[in-house]
């Protein structure tokens, strides 16, 4: 029980975990916002929006603190907060949106924009991420696991710890920033170790891990599903074994995040010799927002008492335009005002200096009392050309059901909305290395979407005149990401392509397959 015993020696982390277990969600969130405002009262943003006046609202009626906060501080997305404040952080300026200067920036995967974004990572945020990670490990005590598992290695497949440095700040993958600052006691469990983790060449890094794989006794793997699946396939091929458990017989847990695992499940489980436990996390470049706290649940618990204040915007046409941009008059709610089974975009204010920041994800509460959520998509990763309101959640489920029906393994997919004659069409690109009839795949996906989404079913009889599904080798998706500098680490293939990215993908496909 080496890992758990090391953690349990630090009783405060266990206390913090139990505090959320038995406290009112609004009380925890109110306390977090007050702490953030107090910390930043004298920063540039704190002076501009008079945090002192907002803080006086905590003495007033139950909702006065929040009315003052949302009246005083505008909603930001990345572009607006960067132009107003964060560009100053890159120049080394101090006390802008958080006390002191910021030395580390996470380069986001950029799935919703054309290029990488520089997300500030403060010392406070690194500590918060580490504390939430500890709480997730502690939650493993609720699973029926052999005690020997907690003496095994943990393979964390992430970005390079050899960060870029320009003389003012370091920049890199969030996974690379945090892996380079692991606690000393954890380092003996951590794989692939310091030397391999520093490698910036993703292909070389995977090859190095493959060579070392037989030397490690791995019990837990952590990473984005697509890249871990690719790594395991390489290991199986290199050593000509039937499944990964012939190399790592004690492998028991897969901690994943970033995208829905369900479309990957069928292909991934063919690489296994034993059942595994899947645990989902919600770790974004902006912070560690939630994690799966209980066995046998597909939902995650929002972290309410560790440096993040959450707000929720109903994901409706009242609050967002057809391109997924938030409207100025958007209605925002605090955690006691949400309803179960409705979709919300997430705003966060954090100990890294994000304020009322639209993170871009859409979530749904499955339990209000326990603050349990699922991620249903992205504000800009949906299709509604003519009122079909097709979410990523719908797409993931349709792919899952179609792959089961046709007995194929789907590793990646993406969807484009395009004009067709005088109306509209959806073009699907599905990454699979199995033989499949494109017509049957099209019919299956279309049929499942009609069952899942009433609006889609209606529009298929009206404005949405054509659905085309093109099976492609899965390697095409990885090649496009490599060409666009998005290979490895926390990078995910966008489920919906729009704008410049859609043009880039279409040109890539035309060049590779001129007859399509």
């Amino acid at each position: 029980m080496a890992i758990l015993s090391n953690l349990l020696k630090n009783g405060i982390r266990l206390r913090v975990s139990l505090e959320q277990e038995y406290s009112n969600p609004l009380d925890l969130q109110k306390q977090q916002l007050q702490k953030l405002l107090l910390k930043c009262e004298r920063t540039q943003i704190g002076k501009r929006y008079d945090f002192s006046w907002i803080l006086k609202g905590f003495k007033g009626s139950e909702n006065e603190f929040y009315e003052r906060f949302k009246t005083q501080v505008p909603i930001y997305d990345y572009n607006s907060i960067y132009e107003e404040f964060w560009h100053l952080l890159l120049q080394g300026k101090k006390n802008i949106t958080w006390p002191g200067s910021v030395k580390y920036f996470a380069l986001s995967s950029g799935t919703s924009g054309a290029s990488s974004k520089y997300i500030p990572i403060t010392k406070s945020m690194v500590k918060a991420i580490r504390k939430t990670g500890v709480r997730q490990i502690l939650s493993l005590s609720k699973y029926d696991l052999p005690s020997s598992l907690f003496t095994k290695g943990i393979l964390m497949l992430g970005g390079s710890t050899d960060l870029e440095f320009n003389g003012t700040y370091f920049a890199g993958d969030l996974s690379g920033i945090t892996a380079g600052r692991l606690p000393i006691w954890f380092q003996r469990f951590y794989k692939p170790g310091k030397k391999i983790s520093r490698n910036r060449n993703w292909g070389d890094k995977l090859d190095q891990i493959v060579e070392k794989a037989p030397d490690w006794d791995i019990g837990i793997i952590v990473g984005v599903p697509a890249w871990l699946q690719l790594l395991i396939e390489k290991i199986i091929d290199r050593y000509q074994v039937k499944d990964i458990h012939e190399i790592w017989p004690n492998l028991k847990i897969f901690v994943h995040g970033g995208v829905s695992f369900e479309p990957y499940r069928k292909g991934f489980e063919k690489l296994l010799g034993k059942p595994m436990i899947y645990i989902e996390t919600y770790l974004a470049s902006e912070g560690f927002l939630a994690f799966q706290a209980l066995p046998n649940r597909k939902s995650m618990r929002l972290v309410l008492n560790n440096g993040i204040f959450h707000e929720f915007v109903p994901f409706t046409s009242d609050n967002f335009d057809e391109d997924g941009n938030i409207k100025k008059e958007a209605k925002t709610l605090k955690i006691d005002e949400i309803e179960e089974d409705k979709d919300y975009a997430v705003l966060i204010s954090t100990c890294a200096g994000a304020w009322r920041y639209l993170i871009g994800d859409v979530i749904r509460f499955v339990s209000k009392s326990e603050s349990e959520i699922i991620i249903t998509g992205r504000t800009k990763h949906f299709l509604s050309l003519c009122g079909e309101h097709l979410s990523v959640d719908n797409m993931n489920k349709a792919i899952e059901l179609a792959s089961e029906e046709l007995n194929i393994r789907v590793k990646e997919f993406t969807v484009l909305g395009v004009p067709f004659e005088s109306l509209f069409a959806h073009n699907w690109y599905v990454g699979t290395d199995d033989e499949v009839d494109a017509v049957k795949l099209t019919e299956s996906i279309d049929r499942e979407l009609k069952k899942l989404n009433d609006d889609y079913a209606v529009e298929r009889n009206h404005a949405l005149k054509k659905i085309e599904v093109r099976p492609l080798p899965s390697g095409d998706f990885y090649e496009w990401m490599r060409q666009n500098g998005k290979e490895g680490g926390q990078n995910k293939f966008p489920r919906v392509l729009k704008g410049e990215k859609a043009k880039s993908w279409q040109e890539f496909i035309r060049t590779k397959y001129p007859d399509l």
Side-chain angles (χ1 to χ4, degrees):
M1 299 290 282
I3 296 176
L4 283 180
S5 62
N6 270 297
L7 295 178
L8 292 172
K9 286 176 185 175
N10 194 338
I12 189 169
R13 285 169 173 159
L14 183 59
R15 179 187 61 76
V16 168
S17 186
L18 290 173
E19 178 185 54
Q20 177 160 337
E21 192 88 19
Y22 300 114
S23 298
N24 179 283
L26 178 60
D27 291 342
L28 292 176
Q29 281 285 272
K30 187 174 181 179
Q31 184 181 62
Q32 284 305 300
L33 180 59
Q34 187 178 41
K35 286 180 179 179
L36 293 170
L37 291 167
L38 284 167
K39 189 80 174 179
C40 294
E41 190 177 3
R42 298 183 182 278
T43 61
Q44 187 177 119
I45 197 169
K47 292 174 182 176
R48 179 171 301 181
Y49 297 120
D50 199 355
F51 283 7
S52 299
W53 181 78
I54 299 172
L55 282 161
K56 291 176 183 176
F58 285 85
K59 292 182 178 180
S61 62
E62 184 179 356
N63 291 320
E64 186 175 348
F65 79 96
Y66 185 59
E67 291 301 321
R68 290 192 180 204
F69 180 62
K70 69 180 184 180
T71 300
Q72 199 77 349
V73 183
I75 293 171
Y76 285 100
D77 61 11
Y78 175 79
N79 290 333
S80 59
I81 199 168
Y82 177 85
E83 290 169 7
E84 197 167 335
F85 296 107
W86 283 358
H87 75 279
L88 299 172
L89 301 177
L90 293 171
Q91 298 170 20
K93 300 293 177 62
K94 297 181 178 181
N95 304 319
I96 305 300
T97 56
W98 192 255
S101 58
V102 177
K103 295 296 184 185
Y104 295 92
F105 291 84
L107 298 176
S108 81
S109 58
T111 53
S112 58
S115 60
S116 290
K117 302 170 183 176
Y118 287 77
I119 309 296
I121 304 295
T122 60
K123 291 180 181 178
S124 297
M125 179 54 76
V126 171
K127 289 178 182 177
I129 290 171
R130 187 180 296 172
K131 283 173 69 175
T132 299
V134 165
R135 287 165 67 173
Q136 180 161 36
I137 294 175
L138 285 172
S139 73
L140 295 179
S141 63
K142 298 175 182 177
Y143 291 76
D144 182 18
L145 297 169
S147 59
S148 60
L149 178 69
F150 298 99
T151 65
K152 307 303 178 186
I154 301 179
L155 174 63
M156 301 171 68
L157 187 62
S160 174
T161 57
D162 184 20
L163 307 174
E164 299 171 11
F165 181 61
N166 73 343
T168 303
Y169 60 83
F170 295 89
D173 234 24
L174 175 65
S175 57
I177 294 172
T178 54
R181 282 143 197 83
L182 292 171
I184 294 174
W185 65 265
F186 189 78
Q187 290 177 13
R188 72 184 180 98
F189 303 102
Y190 168 66
K191 305 297 180 194
K194 288 185 178 181
K195 184 177 179 181
I196 296 177
S197 295
R198 287 181 60 82
N199 196 334
R200 291 187 181 183
N201 186 299
W202 185 250
D204 286 350
K205 177 184 283 189
L206 292 183
D207 290 342
Q208 289 175 323
I209 294 173
V210 169
E211 289 304 309
K212 294 289 290 182
D215 300 334
W216 300 332
D217 186 4
I218 301 296
I220 302 173
I221 53 175
V222 182
V224 173
W227 298 121
L228 270 168
Q229 183 171 338
L230 185 64
L231 172 65
I232 291 173
E233 288 173 346
K234 284 177 171 285
I235 294 172
I236 290 172
D237 182 62
R238 168 70 173 78
Y239 298 104
Q240 291 298 294
V241 293
K242 187 170 62 175
D243 57 65
I244 191 60
H245 281 103
E246 291 189 31
I247 302 294
W248 295 330
N250 295 302
L251 180 60
K252 187 69 176 175
I253 294 174
F254 178 15
V255 180
H256 61 87
V259 293
S260 170
F261 180 63
E262 293 311 313
Y264 298 94
R265 184 185 293 272
K266 187 177 181 66
F268 189 83
E269 292 188 340
K270 288 191 175 183
L271 307 176
L272 308 178
K274 303 175 184 178
M276 284 187 62
I277 294 171
Y278 304 100
I279 300 177
E280 189 172 5
T281 63
Y282 186 2
L283 174 55
S285 297
E286 293 85 356
F288 203 155
L289 278 73
F291 62 89
Q292 189 175 328
L294 295 169
N296 304 317
R297 287 194 185 182
K298 291 187 177 181
S299 57
M300 296 177 286
R301 182 164 297 169
L302 276 178
V303 178
L304 304 179
N305 59 341
N306 192 20
I308 300 176
F309 177 74
H310 305 269
E311 298 173 77
F312 308 96
V313 187
F315 191 54
T316 64
S317 58
D318 290 339
N319 298 318
F320 290 86
D321 66 20
E322 62 275 9
D323 294 320
N325 299 307
I326 195 166
K327 296 179 179 178
K328 287 185 178 180
E329 66 276 13
K331 179 182 180 181
T332 66
L333 307 171
K334 58 187 189 308
I335 197 162
D336 62 319
E337 298 171 317
I338 59 87
E339 298 178 49
E340 294 179 2
D341 299 322
K342 290 189 176 181
D343 284 348
Y344 296 97
V346 182
L347 303 179
I348 55 173
S349 300
T350 76
C351 58
W355 292 96
R356 306 202 77 208
Y357 179 91
L358 183 68
I359 197 169
D361 292 315
V362 178
I363 61 100
R364 184 181 303 152
F365 281 84
V366 297
S367 172
K368 180 175 180 178
S369 62
E370 295 181 286
S371 303
E372 291 273 335
I373 65 163
I374 57 172
I375 299 173
T376 58
R378 300 274 295 170
T379 55
K380 296 192 176 183
H381 287 193
F382 71 99
L383 279 178
S384 193
L385 300 175
C386 50
E388 69 272 38
H389 302 302
L390 197 62
S391 70
V392 172
D393 193 39
N394 296 152
M395 298 172 198
N396 283 330
K397 192 63 179 177
I399 285 287
E400 178 191 351
L401 294 170
S403 63
E404 285 292 334
E405 178 187 341
L406 301 175
N407 194 28
I408 60 170
R409 292 165 291 179
V410 174
K411 294 184 178 179
E412 292 292 352
F413 73 89
T414 194
V415 190
L416 283 71
V418 296
F420 176 68
E421 296 175 349
S422 61
L423 296 169
F424 304 99
H426 287 177
N427 286 354
W428 288 69
Y429 299 86
V430 176
T432 179
D433 299 317
D434 297 328
E435 289 291 328
V436 62
D437 185 311
V439 173
K440 289 183 179 179
L441 183 57
T442 300
E443 291 172 349
S444 180
I445 290 173
D446 191 33
R447 182 171 59 253
E448 297 301 341
L449 287 174
K450 288 175 181 175
K451 295 177 186 175
L452 291 165
N453 187 316
D454 292 341
D455 292 332
Y456 176 89
V458 169
E459 292 306 328
R460 284 294 284 119
N461 293 320
H462 295 91
L464 189 58
K465 288 298 184 182
K466 185 179 180 184
I467 303 299
E468 185 172 12
V469 180
R470 295 171 180 169
L472 297 173
S474 57
D476 290 349
F477 291 79
Y478 305 134
E479 183 181 344
W480 183 80
M481 291 183 76
R482 183 165 55 252
Q483 289 185 11
N484 284 271
K486 298 296 181 183
E487 185 181 39
Q490 292 178 291
N491 296 301
K492 290 87 64 178
F493 202 100
R495 291 297 179 235
V496 177
L497 288 173
K498 298 179 181 179
E500 291 303 315
K501 286 193 173 184
K503 292 178 183 177
S504 170
W505 173 254
Q506 289 172 316
E507 180 59 33
F508 171 79
I509 293 300
R510 279 195 295 268
T511 302
K512 199 169 183 67
Y513 305 102
D515 296 332
L516 274 184

